[in-house]
Amino acid sequence: MAEPLPFAVLISGRGSNMLALAEAAADGRIAGRLVIVISDRADAAGLDAARRLGIAAEVVAPVAGQDRAAFGRALTNFIEASGARLVVLAGFMRILDGEFVRHWQGRLLNIHPSLLPAWRGLHTHRRVLAAGDRWHGCTVHFVTEELDAGPAVIQGRLEVLPGDDEVSLSARVQRFEHIIYPRAVGWFAAGRLTCEDGMASLDGQPLSQAIVEEAQ
Ligand code: GRF
């Protein structure tokens, strides 16, 4: 059997997606090993949560005077040193520079709390509610230099319910994130998911659209 794929998870906060990924790697749904959790914030709760599971967890934050490109290079060096061959962004609240993105192109995944291309950027739940959208969800996508615009892999789609507020809606979306993100990383680790020339493919079939899962 092939070696489990070493992967890194980058966080800035709670790290619930990171924990879902760690659990999926531990129980074999992902043929991979979470080798390092990196946060740009020392107070990210996910750091201690990772350490409690025996996973290496480190802070890599920009130092005074360091521009985005230099920070990106420092981050790449750090990730390379861990041996990770896939970088998974899970609530990492910092825009990564072009050099970083190009270095990890095809090996850099993100999860975004909307049905991309709808609602790129922040405060997606609030904006969905304000717009009166019927559908909402989350998207796993490969990262490209354009923010929240890389090739989509899988979406979790759910219906906005009457009476939903930001709290209830974000909780349902997050539960879905914890299902679809391990699935996508599992596909990648198994060699089933690739991204070349800006096109994601699953089992050799180009994904001209994301795979859509509906809430049960
Ligand atoms: C998730 O909702 C994800 O969609 C967004 O940031 C949040 C991270 O949450 N990119 P957590 O830290 O994984 O709990």
Side-chain angles (χ1 to χ4, degrees):
M1 226 174 89
E3 277 289 292
L5 180 86
F7 66 99
V9 177
L10 273 53
I11 63 168
S12 297
R14 197 159 52 132
S16 68
N17 279 285
M18 176 275 295
L19 290 172
L21 293 162
E23 199 177 304
D27 71 19
R29 277 175 291 146
I30 296 174
R33 201 162 69 82
L34 176 45
V35 289
I36 193 151
V37 173
I38 297 171
S39 172
D40 61 327
R41 297 181 53 124
D43 62 354
L47 286 168
D48 277 339
R51 290 184 190 121
R52 281 196 289 276
L53 295 176
I55 299 165
E58 303 284 347
V59 178
V60 181
V63 293
Q66 195 176 35
D67 64 13
R68 198 178 276 175
F71 174 67
R73 280 194 289 276
L75 203 51
T76 288
N77 290 340
F78 206 88
I79 299 167
E80 294 278 11
S82 77
R85 288 192 280 118
L86 167 70
V87 179
V88 182
L89 306 179
F92 188 68
M93 300 303 288
R94 199 172 279 279
I95 295 174
L96 293 158
D97 77 294
E99 189 182 327
F100 181 93
V101 172
R102 285 191 298 277
H103 180 88
W104 293 102
Q105 196 99 65
R107 305 178 292 157
L108 182 58
L109 288 170
N110 183 43
I111 192 156
H112 181 78
S114 80
L115 297 172
L116 290 172
W119 308 119
R120 294 176 185 173
L122 297 173
H123 309 304
T124 56
H125 312 302
R126 191 183 309 168
R127 287 151 72 206
V128 160
L129 288 166
D133 286 3
R134 179 166 177 206
W135 299 102
H136 187 33
C138 42
T139 305
V140 176
H141 65 96
F142 282 98
V143 176
T144 56
E145 288 184 57
E146 197 182 340
L147 191 68
D148 299 330
V153 175
I154 182 168
Q155 294 187 316
R157 196 169 90 121
L158 50 80
E159 197 163 2
V160 179
L161 302 175
D164 256 334
D165 59 15
E166 250 182 283
V167 174
S168 63
L169 193 54
S170 68
R172 287 212 311 291
V173 170
Q174 272 233 322
R175 277 202 295 279
F176 224 154
E177 293 180 358
H178 302 161
I179 296 168
I180 66 167
Y181 218 0
R183 191 162 303 164
V185 173
W187 289 336
F188 188 96
R192 299 176 57 192
L193 175 66
T194 55
C195 186
E196 273 164 43
D197 302 325
M199 176 63 80
S201 299
L202 184 63
D203 297 327
Q205 299 297 314
L207 292 172
S208 49
Q209 287 187 325
I211 291 163
V212 179
E213 295 261 329
E214 300 277 346
Q216 297 301 309

